[in-house]
Amino acid sequence: MSTMLVRTLLKIAPILPGDTSILLRGAHGIGKSQVVRQVANQLGLDVVDRRLSQMSEGDMIGLPSTDGEVTRFNPPDWYKQACSKPVCLFLDELNRATPEVMQAAFQVVLDRELNGWKLHPQTRVFAAINTGGTYTVNEMDPALLDRFWAVDLTPDVQDWLTWAKESDRIHDNVITFIAGNDKWLDTPKNADPSTVNTSRRSWERLSVALRSINIAELPDDPMFYPLCLGFIGTEATIAFHGYVKTIDAQVTGKEIIEEFDNVKKKIDKLGQEKLNISIEKMADYVTKNLTTLNDVQGKNLRAFMIHLPAELRVSAWSKLTVGGIEKLELAKSVHKWCVDSILTVFGVEKNSEPVATKSPVKAPTVKKSKK
């Protein structure tokens, strides 16, 4: 299988032939179901989501009925929906299903049919299997695996941040915390599976819970700390709680770009972790709200870049110029104001002439002697 980032998958999956089933492999909690929903949103389709590990054979293939002479299977409502109109049919935890359920899934994937009921021609089929867990799984039949377009999903931090910023489910405090503390996004490799740990799913659930009782910005509320403990565990809770308590000492992206002089002293006091967060906020403000930089904004951005350590300047530059051709004018404007501060990172002066472009040394002219 091929390893793939979410942003790459989101470009490829919608353009595959409609009868191509897609298999997503990856650890639990990395957002496989969310990826399916993102693809479905691009295609304008509803998602029919079924967790096969919790289904019996009857849940999958339906129950029989008879008219006195002939017995027929009546499909479950969710499967009939996938036959009646175009949807994204998502068969989750395929490798934790019973052999009988897995065989029924084989027929859906292979023939796009189950007991004579054919899927709608425009219905897309997705399946997912969890890897690397401590739970019991069944071996995938090679014949079934061969019927998928299969990828090992390896989302990076930027994949999640991009999704989180576009989603209405993740609070800004969570986004900026992860932007500056990305080690807390996923479950640590050597984590004890019997304890509560962070995952992409747990951060989403925490954010929804904090918002539901209106305490996402109230770290001193007696419910804030214990609520975090139940979703992300002790160590992450300590870090996140401390971050939210000190958020007033931080600066916004708008303040950096629009009024740098007013927040300069604050920025001078920030450590690298909080500088990373400030860079994320600044880049988010610029790329979402501006198409070019005016003189005030350009001078403020340049002043901010000069304040950053060399390695963080490169990070800030890359975040400001990720928009491609659609953000070309903005990239030109950023280049105009920041190129000096970036070139100095590499020991190059803006107006210095590259060695390769210097005029070659001309050989001396040899005068011919007159006879």
Side-chain angles (χ1 to χ4, degrees):
M1 294 192 189
S2 57
T3 299
M4 189 171 294
L5 296 170
V6 170
R7 53 184 173 273
T8 304
L9 177 64
L10 292 177
K11 292 178 181 178
I12 297 176
I15 62 175
L16 290 173
D19 59 356
T20 299
S21 298
I22 298 174
L23 177 66
L24 306 179
R25 291 179 14 130
H28 79 280
I30 65 171
K32 296 185 290 295
S33 59
Q34 188 57 50
V35 169
V36 174
R37 296 183 185 283
Q38 287 179 268
V39 175
N41 185 58
Q42 291 184 45
L43 296 170
L45 300 177
D46 293 330
V47 176
V48 175
D49 187 346
R50 283 295 176 271
R51 187 162 297 180
L52 301 191
S53 62
Q54 299 176 358
M55 295 175 66
S56 66
E57 186 177 6
D59 296 327
M60 185 72 184
I61 66 175
L63 298 174
S65 64
T66 180
D67 60 4
E69 297 182 0
V70 178
T71 299
R72 296 182 177 85
F73 270 89
N74 301 308
D77 57 351
W78 60 268
Y79 185 77
K80 187 174 181 181
Q81 183 183 355
C83 297
S84 303
K85 68 174 186 178
V87 297
C88 278
L89 178 58
F90 181 37
L91 307 176
D92 198 6
E93 296 189 345
L94 178 58
N95 61 336
R96 298 185 68 192
T98 65
E100 295 79 13
V101 171
M102 193 176 288
Q103 285 301 314
F106 180 93
Q107 187 179 3
V108 174
V109 172
L110 176 62
D111 301 323
R112 294 178 60 83
E113 179 182 341
L114 192 58
N115 284 332
W117 288 82
K118 292 183 177 292
L119 293 176
H120 190 283
Q122 296 175 21
T123 285
R124 303 292 189 102
V125 178
F126 289 79
I129 60 178
N130 290 334
T131 60
T134 56
Y135 35 71
T136 302
V137 298
N138 297 316
E139 290 295 324
M140 287 283 292
D141 186 331
L144 176 58
L145 191 60
D146 188 51
R147 298 295 177 174
F148 285 102
W149 180 71
V151 295
D152 284 312
L153 197 61
T154 55
D156 62 6
V157 176
Q158 192 57 49
D159 280 333
W160 187 85
L161 290 173
T162 299
W163 167 77
K165 291 172 185 176
E166 295 173 353
S167 170
D168 60 357
R169 296 176 63 81
I170 311 297
H171 193 275
D172 285 346
N173 287 351
V174 173
I175 294 173
T176 55
F177 173 74
I178 295 299
N181 304 269
D182 57 20
K183 70 176 183 178
W184 293 116
L185 177 58
D186 295 310
T187 304
K189 290 183 179 179
N190 299 320
D192 182 351
S194 66
T195 62
V196 177
N197 289 293
T198 57
S199 71
R200 295 165 192 242
R201 182 186 298 135
S202 68
W203 283 111
E204 179 182 358
R205 293 171 64 205
L206 172 60
S207 185
V208 171
L210 290 171
R211 277 181 158 172
S212 69
I213 56 177
N214 299 314
I215 62 169
E217 299 177 10
L218 302 173
D220 292 326
D221 187 286
M223 297 298 294
F224 188 99
Y225 194 90
L227 194 63
C228 292
L229 280 177
F231 284 112
I232 58 176
T234 303
E235 293 185 11
T237 293
I238 292 171
F240 180 60
H241 182 249
Y243 167 79
V244 178
K245 289 193 72 167
T246 61
I247 205 163
D248 287 341
Q250 299 170 38
V251 296
T252 67
K254 183 176 181 179
E255 287 175 324
I256 292 171
I257 296 301
E258 305 292 351
E259 45 190 89
F260 180 78
D261 286 343
N262 294 341
V263 295
K264 180 180 176 182
K265 290 182 179 179
K266 279 188 180 181
I267 292 173
D268 288 338
K269 296 177 182 178
L270 298 180
Q272 182 156 325
E273 177 184 305
K274 290 186 172 62
L275 279 176
N276 267 318
I277 295 169
S278 298
I279 289 171
E280 190 73 31
K281 291 180 177 179
M282 176 276 298
D284 191 52
Y285 174 77
V286 170
T287 55
K288 283 187 175 180
N289 298 284
L290 306 177
T291 56
T292 187
L293 300 172
N294 61 35
D295 287 352
V296 172
Q297 294 164 340
K299 290 176 181 178
N300 285 335
L301 176 58
R302 180 166 60 188
F304 176 63
M305 294 287 274
I306 291 172
H307 264 67
L308 295 176
E311 66 274 13
L312 293 187
R313 291 184 200 175
V314 177
S315 173
W317 175 273
S318 65
K319 293 179 186 298
L320 286 165
T321 55
V322 294
I325 194 68
E326 295 179 359
K327 296 282 187 177
L328 182 59
E329 292 305 313
L330 178 60
K332 289 179 180 178
S333 187
V334 170
H335 179 275
K336 170 186 173 182
W337 291 103
C338 299
V339 64
D340 289 359
S341 62
I342 296 300
L343 290 178
T344 55
V345 173
F346 304 100
V348 179
E349 295 181 9
K350 182 178 179 182
N351 296 320
S352 63
E353 186 179 13
V355 174
T357 63
K358 289 183 178 180
S359 302
V361 178
K362 294 182 179 180
T365 304
V366 179
K367 294 182 179 181
K368 294 183 180 179
S369 59
K370 295 181 180 180
K371 292 184 179 178

